[in-house]
Amino acid sequence: MNLIEHFIDGKITQGSSKETSKVFNPATGEQTANVKLASKSDIDFAVEKAKKAFVNWSLKPPAQRARVIFKFKELIEKNSDELTKLIVLEHGKVYEDAKGSLTRGLEVVEFACGIPHLLKGEFTENVGTDVDSWSIRQPLGVCAGVTPYNFPAMVPLWMFPIAIACGNTFILKPSEKDPSCAIKLAQLFKEAGLPDGVFNVVNGNKEAVDALLTNKEVAAISFVGSTPIAKYIYENAAKNEKRVQALGGAKNHCVVMPDCDLDQAVNGLIGAAYGSAGQRCMAQSVAVAVGKIGDQLVSNLAKKVESLKIGPGLDKNSEMGPLVTKEHLEKVKGYVDLGVKEGAKLVVDGRNIKLQGYEKGFYMGGCLFDNVEQKMRIYKEEIFGPVLSVVRVEDFESAIKLVNEHEFGNGTSIYTRDGDVGRTFASKIKIGMVGINIPIPVPVAYHSFGGWKRSLFGSSGMHGNEGVKFYTKLKTITSKWPKGLAADPEFVMPTLN
Ligand code: NAD
């Protein structure tokens, strides 16, 4: 059985722990590897190496760092097929979707190539007579990232290219469910010329994460995953005096107005709800049908959900692959059972599909619920599977109220032809990422990604300027060159008057 180890200080490293966790191919249900689970001493070892590497890496001119990152970008492009297959084989999503997510990550690497420009500070001549002031942003030290299973390349790539471009060193703790992609990225970064110890991948679970949270040398933690763990990371990182950004779960609503282009809305919703088998933090899991459009919307959605092509991610005909693990499959099916018990109308039931030749794979078909209500658990909780709930409301104001009352605030979208409605929605909605006739409004690399409410703990989102700000600290210098007579001591706050 293949054993996936750590990548520390420029090489594959066994670590001291003997603990492992199983990795599966969700398409076949077979175990494909064991992954090492780091102990506290493995984490401390990686942090020590990263701290040592910081000394020289932080002193390198940003333009030199950018050249290594540029080479890394080229190597990701050259190896994109292999990286994509690693995503498909351990996560299960279909090949083109996996490739798209890798490209979205690659775009952050492209953004990080502009670091000399991004790190330029501000300068003011004569803040006082012969006194100048300027500000610079300097790296933090050793930064860490803890990432979820659903984007094994893209989410880590939101973090470490920018952190490293800013002059930090980095320890990535990827999901133990699909760890291979992160190791390959580390090998490519080394091939690009990155000095040993600047980027390290340590596999593990809670024990490894806790060791990162308590290690005094770790200056900042970036986390993406479910809300309970995001909150735990936020609280414990703060307690241990670390800078922290912790992105959590979601329940994204797509508001469908009666005046919209219904075909566009239905196609948008189908891709956004069932793409990646609903395992995206920006998946649309609630369709809010406004006014009279409800019956037509449900009927059009149902036809498409019934005809979804489900199969292994490497089959070019598949539109939707399996779920990541057997446990997750059971959890999602459990939510569908619950929805039926709670009284929602199950219009399409995908619980019992079997795929010939892939009987042990973790598949389920798309499910569609109608008449879902605000009080139901299937509405309140994140299901993270191919289950779309339709909630019917009377008017636009009720739709806004519904979305704003939900505890999560990651993404939302609206389908309408009315510019005024679209503008009002964008202005009034309490959600971090908003689409107008766009089903999955994931910001591009040079903007920033982040939700509101219990979808993000902390004040900064990922990548774009927010990323550069998160991974650097501000220093402001005020200076005067001595000339003439020595100044008398001053006992009052200096002002211009
Ligand atoms: P998860 O919270 O179970 O795991 C995320 C990471 O935390 C993993 O690396 C895992 O090893 C670690 N972890 C798990 N339990 C831990 C514990 N008790 N203590 C410390 N660390 C722990 O999430 P997941 O199932 O891998 O990913 C799916 C979740 O991630 C969904 O809720 C999804 O919405 C969310 N997500 C959010 C975003 C976003 O940008 N907001 C993006 C992608 C995924």
Side-chain angles (χ1 to χ4, degrees):
M1 184 67 64
N2 181 22
L3 180 65
I4 302 162
E5 298 181 302
H6 316 297
F7 187 93
I8 301 173
D9 202 25
K11 49 194 156 301
I12 297 289
T13 307
Q14 280 189 5
S16 62
S17 161
K18 298 271 176 292
E19 293 269 309
T20 59
S21 173
K22 291 176 182 173
V23 179
F24 291 89
N25 177 350
T28 60
E30 282 162 5
Q31 186 188 349
T32 53
N34 286 307
V35 59
K36 274 281 183 80
L37 300 177
S39 62
K40 182 177 180 315
S41 65
D42 294 331
I43 290 287
D44 291 348
F45 176 71
V47 174
E48 194 189 304
K49 296 293 176 191
K51 186 185 169 196
K52 201 164 153 231
F54 178 76
V55 177
N56 287 332
W57 182 248
S58 58
L59 292 177
K60 270 207 187 298
Q64 277 185 20
R65 299 200 293 256
R67 280 182 201 139
V68 177
I69 293 162
F70 195 85
K71 185 82 189 143
F72 180 47
K73 169 192 125 63
E74 288 178 337
L75 287 172
I76 294 178
E77 284 164 341
K78 206 168 132 200
N79 291 273
S80 85
D81 181 57
E82 185 184 342
L83 287 162
T84 303
K85 283 185 179 142
L86 287 176
I87 300 172
V88 176
L89 290 174
E90 291 182 355
H91 176 282
K93 64 179 83 180
V94 300
Y95 183 90
E96 285 304 321
D97 183 31
K99 196 170 160 199
S101 71
L102 179 67
T103 304
R104 276 307 189 88
L106 178 67
E107 286 168 5
V108 182
V109 183
E110 286 170 357
F111 172 76
C113 290
I115 204 67
H117 180 74
L118 294 164
L119 283 181
K120 280 194 305 197
E122 294 174 329
F123 185 93
T124 306
E125 185 186 35
N126 278 342
V127 289
T129 308
D130 294 336
V131 178
D132 303 326
S133 187
W134 70 96
S135 57
I136 54 176
R137 301 204 73 94
Q138 294 189 320
L140 308 175
V142 180
C143 299
V146 177
T147 51
Y149 80 82
N150 66 324
F151 285 109
M154 184 182 83
V155 170
L157 286 167
W158 283 353
M159 302 172 180
F160 73 83
I162 297 180
I164 288 173
C166 289
N168 301 287
T169 55
F170 202 92
I171 296 173
L172 172 66
K173 204 301 284 171
S175 169
E176 62 276 36
K177 292 183 182 124
D178 45 14
S180 294
C181 206
I183 297 281
K184 180 72 193 173
L185 287 170
Q187 288 167 327
L188 293 177
F189 217 166
K190 179 181 165 98
E191 196 183 327
L194 192 73
D196 292 348
V198 176
F199 181 50
N200 309 277
V201 177
V202 183
N203 287 305
N205 56 12
K206 180 170 166 50
E207 187 179 344
V209 176
D210 285 343
L212 287 168
L213 284 167
T214 50
N215 190 306
K216 285 203 164 32
E217 301 298 341
V218 174
I221 303 232
S222 300
F223 173 86
V224 176
S226 59
T227 288
I229 313 296
K231 186 166 184 286
Y232 173 81
I233 301 281
Y234 182 64
E235 288 172 354
N236 284 283
K239 199 157 94 188
N240 288 288
E241 301 173 13
K242 299 184 194 317
R243 189 174 283 207
V244 57
Q245 51 178 183
L247 278 63
K251 192 85 178 177
N252 306 310
H253 296 63
C254 177
V255 176
V256 183
M257 295 297 292
D259 71 326
C260 76
D261 178 321
L262 190 59
D263 288 343
Q264 276 197 27
V266 168
N267 285 342
L269 261 166
I270 291 290
Y274 301 99
S276 201
Q279 299 164 104
R280 291 180 183 142
C281 63
M282 289 291 275
Q284 296 286 2
S285 48
V286 181
V288 185
V290 179
K292 287 190 189 126
I293 202 144
D295 289 346
Q296 196 60 54
L297 175 68
V298 171
S299 145
N300 291 12
L301 282 171
K303 279 184 217 131
K304 301 237 172 190
V305 180
E306 275 159 1
S307 61
L308 281 173
K309 293 188 192 112
I310 294 146
L314 290 178
D315 181 337
K316 283 204 162 53
N317 293 317
S318 304
E319 292 170 331
M320 191 175 103
L323 290 163
V324 69
T325 56
K326 193 163 186 335
E327 294 70 39
H328 191 55
L329 175 68
E330 295 309 326
K331 182 177 163 195
V332 174
K333 282 186 182 175
Y335 268 112
V336 182
D337 299 345
L338 175 69
V340 174
K341 267 197 219 131
E342 289 184 308
K345 182 177 169 197
L346 185 57
V347 182
V348 183
D349 182 359
R351 280 174 291 184
N352 296 314
I353 65 148
K354 277 273 170 273
L355 285 180
Q356 217 180 357
Y358 294 94
E359 286 79 3
K360 293 201 172 129
F362 310 138
Y363 299 94
M364 68 181 279
C367 295
L368 178 67
F369 275 114
D370 192 7
N371 299 329
V372 173
E373 291 173 21
Q374 209 175 357
K375 62 174 193 275
M376 295 177 181
R377 272 183 59 201
I378 59 158
Y379 172 76
K380 290 195 240 176
E381 296 172 20
E382 181 181 43
I383 299 175
F384 221 56
V387 184
L388 176 62
S389 296
V390 178
V391 180
R392 296 182 182 228
V393 297
E394 269 183 21
D395 50 30
F396 179 50
E397 283 68 37
S398 315
I400 289 196
K401 185 168 176 286
L402 181 83
V403 179
N404 285 349
E405 280 176 4
H406 204 285
E407 66 168 304
F408 295 127
N410 216 38
T412 188
S413 66
I414 187 165
Y415 275 88
T416 180
R417 288 170 185 272
D418 186 328
D420 186 32
V421 165
R423 190 176 183 282
T424 305
F425 185 75
S427 170
K428 287 198 171 169
I429 213 74
K430 292 176 183 161
I431 303 285
M433 294 169 282
V434 182
I436 300 174
N437 299 314
I438 297 287
I440 312 185
V442 175
V444 290
Y446 42 95
H447 285 258
S448 299
F449 183 108
W452 284 17
K453 299 188 268 183
R454 302 192 78 231
S455 294
L456 192 159
F457 299 90
S459 55
S460 45
M462 298 274 163
H463 61 72
N465 290 337
E466 295 260 300
V468 176
K469 219 166 127 188
F470 182 78
Y471 291 120
T472 53
K473 47 193 172 188
L474 180 71
K475 185 181 277 179
T476 306
I477 300 121
T478 306
S479 120
K480 180 180 179 181
W481 289 96
K483 62 180 177 188
L485 294 172
D488 291 334
E490 282 183 20
F491 299 97
V492 293
M493 190 69 194
T495 65
L496 270 180
N497 299 323

